[in-house]
Amino acid sequence: MLEKLRNFLRKLFVVQDNSVVEIRPERSYEISVSEVLSNPVVRAALFRISQAVSSVPLVAYRGETPVAENTQVYKVVSQMASYLPTVVYDLYLFGNSIFLKQRVGERIVSLQHIRPQSVSFDSENRRFLIYAKEGTVEVSEKDVVWFKLVNPLDPEGCGLSIFASIAFNLRVISEIDMATTEFLQNGAIPLGIVKVSRGVDIEEIRRRQAQIEASVGRGRRYKWLAVSKDTDIETVDTSLKLGDLPTLRKTLREEVMAAFNVPPAVLGFYEYANYANSREQTKIFWRDTILPLLRLIENTINNQLMLDFGSDYWVGFDLTQVPYLRENISDVADALVRMVSAGIVTINEAREIIGKDEPVDWGNFWWSNISTVPIAKPKEDEEVKQFFRSEIDEEVY
């Protein structure tokens, strides 16, 4: 078993002079979708992203007016909105998400999802080949809605899944889990192995095991273990830092989260988080991960679907429904108070910024922080004189 453990570790590490130099990369790590989804971090990240995207209302407009619910445009866009979780999973797992436009004549009546594994793209002729049991079907690029993550090696071709960059990480995490389960119970590091010069039966093994546990078990770490002359104890080589496997796994996990651009607190890892920065991490998640994804989906639908209904039709996500994208009202108020005091904006302009449409009579003047009189005014401003004449002495004014 000891040799088996050593061989396993040598698969993961480059070893030089009995010390670890670096993790050994492999040329290629094939990994299936089922293996990808069996990783809890990947599953949680995909769920959080898809949940966030599908929670934002997708609204169809004609000009500046939302389309009526009884129109065909509304029905098709609503169907597309119901597919948003599928779009997210397809993009991250395969780099592409494809929907076939179902037409009656020239009129689009619905959308049909096509599994990315069943499609190839002919970039030269700009057409898709859909593989089915009945045979291969060729469709034009204009007959599909094609979401994709850009492939820098082939910008005009199929999208590139993020798993091309983290397949090695996921494979090593799986190997570490198997190693710690098989060799290191509860993360324990074996200190040595007992060798005997003759064969022993199961009863002898159990007797020696009980003797060892009684001597070096919990609460007896520094007691001596007496062995017979036909027994030898070999210390396990720990130069490979077996105890660092959990740390290595954690590092690989963080790289997976970085690939998804999902902060730890969003996935429930609160090791470095508290209430204040957990909320900030969630805001970063929405701003840096979800918003760009929403824009990609929005632009794809507008360019590849809505133009079939007419040039004045378009869709947009209603971001006002997302609390994490709203400015904190206290922060906005503090900033406006400073701007009003500095004369950058007036009170009425500040009220308009926070959604108070009704102006106040005194809101068009510049007021200082110290007094209740306006600091500056044009001499010809008769409106100001009239406003203050009843309360302020004319000579002082």
Side-chain angles (χ1 to χ4, degrees):
M1 187 183 87
L2 180 61
E3 189 61 29
K4 188 177 178 182
L5 175 59
R6 286 172 176 162
N7 291 336
F8 167 80
L9 292 171
R10 289 191 176 95
K11 287 197 308 181
L12 298 183
F13 300 98
V14 175
V15 182
Q16 197 174 76
D17 299 329
N18 290 326
S19 61
V20 177
V21 178
E22 60 182 346
I23 298 175
R24 185 191 303 277
E26 291 288 342
R27 288 288 181 184
S28 174
Y29 262 98
E30 295 294 332
I31 187 166
S32 67
V33 173
S34 59
E35 287 179 292
V36 167
L37 293 177
S38 67
N39 183 282
V41 175
V42 171
R43 191 66 177 263
L46 285 174
F47 176 75
R48 295 299 184 195
I49 295 172
S50 64
Q51 188 181 49
V53 168
S54 59
S55 69
V56 186
L58 181 64
V59 184
Y61 298 89
R62 184 174 188 180
E64 298 300 320
T65 306
V67 300
E69 294 186 9
N70 60 350
T71 62
Q72 189 61 36
V73 176
Y74 182 88
K75 294 176 182 178
V76 173
V77 172
S78 296
Q79 184 187 19
M80 186 75 260
S82 69
Y83 275 125
L84 289 180
T86 302
V87 172
V88 170
Y89 276 86
D90 281 354
L91 285 176
Y92 281 92
L93 291 173
F94 306 105
N96 304 273
S97 187
I98 300 170
F99 294 84
L100 185 63
K101 301 173 185 176
Q102 301 290 311
R103 300 177 185 270
V104 174
E106 291 298 318
R107 182 166 162 260
I108 298 176
V109 295
S110 65
L111 300 169
Q112 178 186 353
H113 175 248
I114 306 297
R115 296 179 63 194
Q117 310 98 304
S118 305
V119 182
S120 65
F121 180 62
D122 181 358
S123 56
E124 183 177 348
N125 297 309
R126 310 303 298 177
R127 62 180 182 176
F128 288 88
L129 302 177
I130 303 176
Y131 306 102
K133 293 181 179 179
E134 297 78 14
T136 303
V137 179
E138 295 184 11
V139 295
S140 169
E141 189 176 9
K142 70 176 184 178
D143 290 323
V144 302
V145 181
W146 180 21
F147 303 90
K148 72 171 183 175
L149 299 178
V150 174
N151 182 353
L153 303 177
D154 185 13
E156 298 299 320
C158 289
L160 180 65
S161 166
I162 67 167
F163 293 110
S165 61
I166 62 172
F168 171 73
N169 299 60
L170 296 177
R171 176 66 69 188
V172 173
I173 289 174
S174 177
E175 296 281 357
I176 289 174
D177 289 343
M178 288 189 291
T180 53
T181 300
E182 186 171 355
F183 301 110
L184 312 176
Q185 292 186 2
N186 300 320
I189 303 174
L191 299 179
I193 183 169
V194 177
K195 299 194 303 182
V196 295
S197 59
R198 57 183 174 79
V200 293
D201 57 23
I202 188 64
E203 293 300 325
E204 177 69 8
I205 292 175
R206 289 174 179 171
R207 185 185 68 79
R208 290 179 183 272
Q209 183 179 4
Q211 183 185 12
I212 293 172
E213 290 177 351
S215 300
V216 297
R218 180 177 297 179
R220 303 181 177 85
R221 293 186 59 182
Y222 303 106
K223 288 193 174 184
W224 291 93
L225 170 64
V227 296
S228 60
K229 63 180 181 180
D230 63 339
T231 304
D232 187 22
I233 296 181
E234 178 182 331
T235 303
V236 171
D237 178 13
T238 58
S239 61
L240 293 179
K241 299 184 183 299
L242 299 180
D244 284 348
L245 286 180
T247 303
L248 173 61
R249 188 185 190 282
K250 179 182 174 182
T251 301
L252 295 170
R253 181 193 72 192
E254 291 173 352
E255 290 181 358
V256 171
M257 289 190 291
F260 281 100
N261 203 16
V262 178
V266 175
L267 298 182
F269 297 109
Y270 295 102
E271 184 175 357
Y272 307 111
N274 54 38
Y275 176 79
N277 61 28
S278 293
R279 180 175 177 83
E280 191 60 31
Q281 286 188 42
T282 305
K283 292 175 69 174
I284 292 172
F285 169 65
W286 274 92
R287 185 189 66 214
D288 296 348
T289 303
I290 301 304
L291 266 182
L293 187 56
L294 293 177
R295 294 297 177 233
L296 183 151
I297 294 172
E298 201 174 75
N299 292 336
T300 301
I301 295 174
N302 283 327
N303 294 329
Q304 300 183 24
L305 177 62
M306 301 310 291
L307 291 177
D308 288 299
F309 296 105
S311 59
D312 55 343
Y313 286 96
W314 58 283
V315 297
F317 285 99
D318 185 4
L319 300 179
T320 62
Q321 304 298 316
V322 182
Y324 293 106
L325 296 179
R326 300 176 196 153
E327 292 290 341
N328 188 300
I329 187 63
S330 299
D331 296 338
V332 174
D334 291 341
L336 289 176
V337 167
R338 292 193 295 270
M339 293 173 71
V340 170
S341 299
I344 299 174
V345 297
T346 65
I347 292 176
N348 280 339
E349 289 172 336
R351 288 173 59 85
E352 186 177 353
I353 290 174
I354 62 174
K356 302 290 185 181
D357 296 331
E358 291 296 325
V360 293
D361 294 338
W362 62 88
N364 293 325
F365 315 127
W366 179 21
W367 296 81
S368 72
N369 283 332
I370 301 173
S371 69
T372 56
V373 297
I375 293 176
K377 67 174 183 65
K379 289 184 178 180
E380 66 275 13
D381 193 346
E382 293 299 328
E383 181 184 354
V384 176
K385 290 184 179 181
Q386 183 65 31
F387 179 79
F388 287 101
R389 187 167 286 127
S390 59
E391 300 182 13
I392 302 177
D393 186 278
E394 183 66 25
E395 294 180 1
V396 176
Y397 188 81

